[in-house]
Amino acid sequence: MTTREEFATLHGKWALVTGAGRGIGRAIALELARAGACVVCNDIDPRTATETAALIHLEGHTAMPYTADVSDRHAVQRMVDDVVAATGRLDVLVNNAGVEPSASILEMDEETWDHTLAVNLKAVFLTSQAVGRVMKAQGGGAIVNISSIAGVRNPLALRAAYCASKAGIYGFTKECAREFAAYNIRVNCVCPGVIVTPMTEAARRNPAIMERWRREIPVGRLGTPEEVARVVRFLASDEASYVTGQAYFVDGGKAMH
Ligand code: NAP
Protein backbone atom coordinates (compact mmCIF):
# COMPACT_ATOMS: atom_id res chain seq x y z
CA MET A 1 0.00 0.00 0.00
CA THR A 2 1.23 3.50 -0.78
CA THR A 3 1.74 5.70 2.26
CA ARG A 4 1.10 9.44 2.29
CA GLU A 5 4.88 10.01 2.66
CA GLU A 6 5.51 8.09 -0.56
CA PHE A 7 3.09 10.38 -2.43
CA ALA A 8 4.89 13.44 -1.07
CA THR A 9 8.36 12.35 -2.09
CA LEU A 10 10.11 12.24 -5.43
CA HIS A 11 12.26 9.19 -4.67
CA GLY A 12 13.48 7.43 -7.80
CA LYS A 13 12.39 10.29 -10.08
CA TRP A 14 14.53 12.34 -12.44
CA ALA A 15 13.79 16.07 -12.66
CA LEU A 16 15.04 18.71 -15.11
CA VAL A 17 15.04 22.31 -13.83
CA THR A 18 15.86 25.08 -16.31
CA GLY A 19 17.63 28.26 -15.18
CA ALA A 20 18.76 26.39 -12.05
CA GLY A 21 22.01 28.36 -11.65
CA ARG A 22 20.63 30.89 -9.20
CA GLY A 23 17.52 32.43 -7.63
CA ILE A 24 14.23 30.51 -7.74
CA GLY A 25 15.64 27.82 -10.06
CA ARG A 26 18.44 26.96 -7.64
CA ALA A 27 15.96 26.77 -4.73
CA ILE A 28 13.68 24.48 -6.79
CA ALA A 29 16.59 22.19 -7.70
CA LEU A 30 17.59 21.90 -4.02
CA GLU A 31 13.99 21.38 -2.88
CA LEU A 32 13.35 18.58 -5.40
CA ALA A 33 16.67 16.91 -4.49
CA ARG A 34 15.78 17.05 -0.76
CA ALA A 35 12.46 15.34 -1.66
CA GLY A 36 14.46 12.49 -3.21
CA ALA A 37 14.66 13.42 -6.90
CA CYS A 38 17.84 13.23 -8.95
CA VAL A 39 18.09 16.66 -10.54
CA VAL A 40 19.47 17.88 -13.85
CA CYS A 41 20.48 21.51 -13.21
CA ASN A 42 20.24 23.39 -16.50
CA ASP A 43 21.51 26.92 -16.98
CA ILE A 44 22.95 28.99 -19.81
CA ASP A 45 25.87 29.77 -17.46
CA PRO A 46 28.02 26.63 -16.94
CA ARG A 47 29.58 28.05 -13.76
CA THR A 48 26.30 28.53 -11.89
CA ALA A 49 24.78 25.26 -13.15
CA THR A 50 27.83 23.43 -11.77
CA GLU A 51 27.57 25.34 -8.46
CA THR A 52 23.95 24.28 -7.95
CA ALA A 53 24.76 20.64 -8.73
CA ALA A 54 27.70 20.85 -6.28
CA LEU A 55 25.39 22.20 -3.53
CA ILE A 56 23.07 19.22 -4.09
CA HIS A 57 26.01 16.79 -3.99
CA LEU A 58 27.18 18.39 -0.72
CA GLU A 59 23.82 17.42 0.84
CA GLY A 60 24.33 13.83 -0.32
CA HIS A 61 21.87 13.85 -3.24
CA THR A 62 22.28 13.18 -6.97
CA ALA A 63 22.56 16.01 -9.50
CA MET A 64 23.94 16.67 -12.95
CA PRO A 65 24.76 20.14 -14.35
CA TYR A 66 23.81 20.74 -17.98
CA THR A 67 24.62 23.91 -19.90
CA ALA A 68 22.14 24.81 -22.65
CA ASP A 69 20.29 27.82 -23.99
CA VAL A 70 16.66 26.76 -23.62
CA SER A 71 15.54 29.11 -26.41
CA ASP A 72 17.61 27.08 -28.93
CA ARG A 73 15.60 24.16 -30.37
CA HIS A 74 18.68 22.07 -31.21
CA ALA A 75 20.26 22.68 -27.80
CA VAL A 76 17.04 21.62 -26.04
CA GLN A 77 16.70 18.41 -28.06
CA ARG A 78 20.40 17.58 -27.46
CA MET A 79 19.94 18.18 -23.71
CA VAL A 80 16.87 15.94 -23.47
CA ASP A 81 18.54 13.20 -25.58
CA ASP A 82 21.72 13.34 -23.44
CA VAL A 83 19.78 13.29 -20.16
CA VAL A 84 17.59 10.36 -21.19
CA ALA A 85 20.64 8.49 -22.52
CA ALA A 86 22.25 8.93 -19.08
CA THR A 87 19.22 8.41 -16.82
CA GLY A 88 16.77 6.34 -18.86
CA ARG A 89 13.84 8.62 -17.92
CA LEU A 90 12.56 12.10 -17.08
CA ASP A 91 9.66 12.37 -14.63
CA VAL A 92 9.56 16.08 -13.79
CA LEU A 93 10.21 19.19 -15.90
CA VAL A 94 10.34 22.64 -14.30
CA ASN A 95 10.44 25.51 -16.81
CA ASN A 96 11.98 28.26 -14.73
CA ALA A 97 14.61 30.04 -16.90
CA GLY A 98 13.66 33.63 -17.56
CA VAL A 99 14.85 37.12 -18.46
CA GLU A 100 13.24 40.46 -17.56
CA PRO A 101 14.59 43.33 -19.68
CA SER A 102 13.22 46.81 -19.07
CA ALA A 103 12.05 49.19 -21.83
CA SER A 104 9.01 51.29 -22.64
CA ILE A 105 6.89 50.00 -25.53
CA LEU A 106 7.73 53.12 -27.55
CA GLU A 107 11.49 52.59 -27.08
CA MET A 108 11.79 48.78 -27.10
CA ASP A 109 13.78 47.30 -29.97
CA GLU A 110 12.66 44.19 -31.81
CA GLU A 111 15.62 42.13 -30.54
CA THR A 112 14.59 42.72 -26.91
CA TRP A 113 11.02 41.64 -27.65
CA ASP A 114 12.16 38.54 -29.59
CA HIS A 115 14.76 37.48 -27.00
CA THR A 116 12.31 37.83 -24.09
CA LEU A 117 9.61 35.83 -25.84
CA ALA A 118 12.16 33.22 -26.97
CA VAL A 119 13.64 32.56 -23.51
CA ASN A 120 10.46 32.98 -21.46
CA LEU A 121 7.81 31.45 -23.74
CA LYS A 122 9.17 29.63 -26.80
CA ALA A 123 11.53 27.66 -24.55
CA VAL A 124 8.53 26.37 -22.56
CA PHE A 125 7.06 24.97 -25.78
CA LEU A 126 10.41 23.50 -26.89
CA THR A 127 11.13 21.70 -23.61
CA SER A 128 7.50 20.60 -23.14
CA GLN A 129 7.52 19.06 -26.61
CA ALA A 130 10.88 17.29 -26.24
CA VAL A 131 10.29 16.12 -22.65
CA GLY A 132 6.57 15.47 -23.30
CA ARG A 133 7.51 12.86 -25.92
CA VAL A 134 9.74 11.11 -23.36
CA MET A 135 7.05 11.24 -20.66
CA LYS A 136 4.37 9.94 -23.06
CA ALA A 137 6.60 6.98 -23.98
CA GLN A 138 7.33 6.16 -20.32
CA GLY A 139 3.69 6.51 -19.21
CA GLY A 140 3.51 9.86 -17.40
CA GLY A 141 5.17 12.80 -15.69
CA ALA A 142 4.66 16.28 -14.27
CA ILE A 143 5.51 19.69 -15.74
CA VAL A 144 5.58 22.91 -13.71
CA ASN A 145 5.99 26.22 -15.54
CA ILE A 146 7.05 29.41 -13.78
CA SER A 147 4.80 32.25 -14.93
CA SER A 148 4.32 35.45 -12.88
CA ILE A 149 1.58 37.58 -11.39
CA ALA A 150 2.93 40.16 -13.90
CA GLY A 151 1.52 38.12 -16.77
CA VAL A 152 -1.85 37.39 -15.26
CA ARG A 153 -2.95 40.08 -12.76
CA ASN A 154 -0.45 42.90 -12.03
CA PRO A 155 1.40 44.25 -15.11
CA LEU A 156 4.93 45.37 -14.33
CA ALA A 157 6.03 48.87 -15.42
CA LEU A 158 8.31 48.94 -18.48
CA ARG A 159 8.12 45.16 -18.89
CA ALA A 160 5.59 44.67 -21.73
CA ALA A 161 7.55 41.82 -23.36
CA TYR A 162 7.97 40.11 -19.98
CA CYS A 163 4.24 40.46 -19.14
CA ALA A 164 3.28 39.11 -22.58
CA SER A 165 5.62 36.13 -22.23
CA LYS A 166 4.31 35.26 -18.75
CA ALA A 167 0.67 35.59 -19.91
CA GLY A 168 1.63 33.24 -22.74
CA ILE A 169 2.92 30.65 -20.26
CA TYR A 170 -0.42 30.83 -18.42
CA GLY A 171 -2.36 30.06 -21.62
CA PHE A 172 0.12 27.44 -22.85
CA THR A 173 -0.04 25.62 -19.51
CA LYS A 174 -3.79 25.14 -19.79
CA GLU A 175 -3.81 23.78 -23.34
CA CYS A 176 -0.71 21.65 -22.63
CA ALA A 177 -2.50 20.19 -19.58
CA ARG A 178 -5.57 19.38 -21.68
CA GLU A 179 -3.55 17.72 -24.47
CA PHE A 180 -1.10 15.86 -22.19
CA ALA A 181 -3.79 14.53 -19.81
CA ALA A 182 -4.28 11.61 -22.19
CA TYR A 183 -0.64 10.62 -21.53
CA ASN A 184 -0.86 10.87 -17.72
CA ILE A 185 1.24 14.05 -17.75
CA ARG A 186 0.07 16.82 -15.41
CA VAL A 187 0.92 20.43 -16.32
CA ASN A 188 0.56 23.38 -13.94
CA CYS A 189 2.06 26.81 -13.50
CA VAL A 190 3.19 28.84 -10.52
CA CYS A 191 2.83 32.62 -10.51
CA PRO A 192 5.31 34.15 -8.06
CA GLY A 193 4.86 37.67 -6.74
CA VAL A 194 7.92 39.69 -5.73
CA ILE A 195 10.67 37.28 -4.70
CA VAL A 196 14.13 38.05 -3.30
CA THR A 197 16.45 36.96 -6.15
CA PRO A 198 19.07 38.58 -8.40
CA MET A 199 16.23 39.44 -10.84
CA THR A 200 14.67 41.87 -8.32
CA GLU A 201 17.99 43.13 -6.87
CA ALA A 202 18.02 46.55 -8.60
CA ALA A 203 14.39 47.30 -7.65
CA ARG A 204 15.00 46.21 -4.06
CA ARG A 205 17.73 48.87 -3.75
CA ASN A 206 15.09 51.57 -4.42
CA PRO A 207 13.42 52.59 -1.10
CA ALA A 208 10.33 54.01 -2.86
CA ILE A 209 9.69 50.72 -4.68
CA MET A 210 10.25 48.73 -1.48
CA GLU A 211 7.78 50.94 0.39
CA ARG A 212 5.16 50.52 -2.35
CA TRP A 213 5.62 46.73 -2.34
CA ARG A 214 5.17 46.60 1.44
CA ARG A 215 1.89 48.48 1.03
CA GLU A 216 0.67 46.33 -1.89
CA ILE A 217 1.59 42.92 -0.45
CA PRO A 218 -0.96 41.94 2.23
CA VAL A 219 1.51 39.84 4.23
CA GLY A 220 3.85 42.87 4.28
CA ARG A 221 7.04 41.33 2.92
CA LEU A 222 8.70 39.91 -0.19
CA GLY A 223 8.78 36.16 -0.78
CA THR A 224 11.76 33.82 -0.69
CA PRO A 225 12.82 31.43 -3.47
CA GLU A 226 12.24 28.54 -1.03
CA GLU A 227 8.58 29.55 -0.62
CA VAL A 228 8.11 29.21 -4.40
CA ALA A 229 10.12 25.97 -4.48
CA ARG A 230 7.87 24.25 -1.92
CA VAL A 231 4.77 24.80 -4.08
CA VAL A 232 6.66 23.53 -7.14
CA ARG A 233 7.66 20.40 -5.18
CA PHE A 234 4.00 19.78 -4.28
CA LEU A 235 2.86 20.15 -7.90
CA ALA A 236 5.69 17.89 -9.11
CA SER A 237 4.81 15.14 -6.61
CA ASP A 238 2.06 12.51 -6.68
CA GLU A 239 0.40 14.43 -3.84
CA ALA A 240 -0.94 16.68 -6.60
CA SER A 241 -2.20 13.67 -8.61
CA TYR A 242 -5.60 15.30 -9.38
CA VAL A 243 -4.22 18.81 -10.05
CA THR A 244 -3.63 19.86 -13.66
CA GLY A 245 -4.08 22.99 -15.79
CA GLN A 246 -3.93 25.21 -12.70
CA ALA A 247 -2.10 28.41 -11.78
CA TYR A 248 -0.86 28.67 -8.19
CA PHE A 249 -0.16 32.20 -6.92
CA VAL A 250 2.78 32.43 -4.50
CA ASP A 251 2.67 36.14 -3.83
CA GLY A 252 1.76 36.97 -0.22
CA GLY A 253 -1.72 37.90 -1.47
CA LYS A 254 -0.55 40.66 -3.87
CA ALA A 255 -2.52 39.46 -6.90
CA MET A 256 -5.89 39.15 -5.14
CA HIS A 257 -6.53 42.90 -5.52
P1 NAP B 1 17.24 35.02 -12.01
O1 NAP B 1 17.80 35.18 -10.66
O2 NAP B 1 17.55 36.04 -13.05
O3 NAP B 1 17.58 33.56 -12.56
C1 NAP B 1 17.21 33.18 -13.87
C2 NAP B 1 18.17 32.09 -14.30
O4 NAP B 1 17.80 31.70 -15.66
C3 NAP B 1 19.61 32.59 -14.36
O5 NAP B 1 20.49 31.65 -13.80
C4 NAP B 1 19.84 32.74 -15.86
O6 NAP B 1 21.19 32.58 -16.24
C5 NAP B 1 19.01 31.62 -16.41
N1 NAP B 1 18.77 31.81 -17.84
C6 NAP B 1 18.52 32.97 -18.50
N2 NAP B 1 18.40 32.74 -19.82
C7 NAP B 1 18.55 31.40 -20.00
C8 NAP B 1 18.52 30.56 -21.15
N3 NAP B 1 18.30 31.07 -22.39
N4 NAP B 1 18.72 29.23 -21.00
C9 NAP B 1 18.96 28.71 -19.76
N5 NAP B 1 19.00 29.47 -18.63
C10 NAP B 1 18.79 30.80 -18.75
O7 NAP B 1 15.63 34.98 -11.94
P2 NAP B 1 14.65 34.50 -10.75
O8 NAP B 1 14.18 35.69 -10.05
O9 NAP B 1 15.23 33.36 -10.02
O10 NAP B 1 13.42 34.02 -11.66
C11 NAP B 1 13.23 32.66 -12.03
C12 NAP B 1 11.90 32.57 -12.77
O11 NAP B 1 10.87 33.07 -11.93
C13 NAP B 1 11.87 33.41 -14.04
O12 NAP B 1 11.11 32.76 -15.04
C14 NAP B 1 11.15 34.67 -13.60
O13 NAP B 1 10.52 35.34 -14.66
C15 NAP B 1 10.16 34.10 -12.61
N6 NAP B 1 9.66 35.08 -11.64
C16 NAP B 1 10.50 35.71 -10.80
C17 NAP B 1 9.98 36.64 -9.89
C18 NAP B 1 10.86 37.39 -8.90
O14 NAP B 1 10.33 38.27 -8.21
N7 NAP B 1 12.14 37.08 -8.80
C19 NAP B 1 8.61 36.91 -9.89
C20 NAP B 1 7.79 36.23 -10.78
C21 NAP B 1 8.31 35.31 -11.65
P3 NAP B 1 22.14 33.91 -16.36
O15 NAP B 1 22.26 34.43 -14.98
O16 NAP B 1 23.42 33.43 -16.90
O17 NAP B 1 21.40 34.84 -17.27
Side-chain angles (χ1 to χ4, degrees), residues 19 22-24 42-45 68-70 96-99 119 146-148 162 166 192-195 197-200:
R22 66 182 201 191
I24 294 171
N42 156 267
D43 205 278
I44 198 166
D45 182 341
D69 175 351
V70 289
N96 164 82
V99 291
V119 176
I146 307 301
S147 177
S148 168
Y162 181 79
K166 293 297 178 179
V194 188
I195 309 298
T197 73
M199 189 178 268
T200 54

Side-chain angles (χ1 to χ4, degrees), residues 162-181:
Y162 181 79
C163 293
S165 69
K166 293 297 178 179
I169 291 176
Y170 183 77
F172 179 83
T173 297
K174 288 173 188 293
E175 171 51 14
C176 193
R178 199 196 57 77
E179 184 177 326
F180 283 12

Side-chain angles (χ1 to χ4, degrees), residues 8 41 67 74 78 84 101 117 132 145 147 175 179 184 188 212 219 230 232:
C41 306
T67 309
H74 300 291
R78 206 176 310 120
V84 173
L117 271 289
N145 300 320
S147 177
E175 171 51 14
E179 184 177 326
N184 191 33
N188 291 287
R212 182 165 52 79
V219 303
R230 287 198 288 273
V232 172

Side-chain angles (χ1 to χ4, degrees), residues 236-248:
S237 79
D238 291 342
E239 243 190 345
S241 54
Y242 202 53
V243 181
T244 196
Q246 302 303 312
Y248 274 61

Side-chain angles (χ1 to χ4, degrees), residues 25-155:
R26 173 171 286 182
I28 292 169
L30 279 158
E31 179 74 24
L32 299 187
R34 287 169 187 152
C38 304
V39 184
V40 181
C41 306
N42 156 267
D43 205 278
I44 198 166
D45 182 341
R47 188 182 52 82
T48 60
T50 304
E51 274 174 13
T52 300
L55 287 171
I56 291 173
H57 290 148
L58 267 180
E59 295 191 6
H61 309 299
T62 304
M64 176 199 299
Y66 200 105
T67 309
D69 175 351
V70 289
S71 67
D72 176 335
R73 182 164 63 90
H74 300 291
V76 167
Q77 192 58 56
R78 206 176 310 120
M79 172 170 67
V80 173
D81 289 347
D82 287 350
V83 167
V84 173
T87 67
R89 57 188 302 112
L90 253 180
D91 307 282
V92 174
L93 166 66
V94 182
N95 281 307
N96 164 82
V99 291
E100 194 209 42
S102 165
S104 80
I105 294 169
L106 297 184
E107 302 297 329
M108 191 186 307
D109 56 45
E110 191 179 350
E111 288 71 31
T112 301
W113 175 272
D114 286 347
H115 179 64
T116 308
L117 271 289
V119 176
N120 292 7
L121 182 57
K122 187 178 82 172
V124 176
F125 155 65
L126 294 175
T127 56
S128 299
Q129 183 180 68
V131 175
R133 287 172 177 155
V134 174
M135 289 175 170
K136 178 186 175 190
Q138 74 190 14
I143 298 175
V144 185
N145 300 320
I146 307 301
S147 177
S148 168
I149 60 169
V152 185
R153 298 269 173 83
N154 305 148

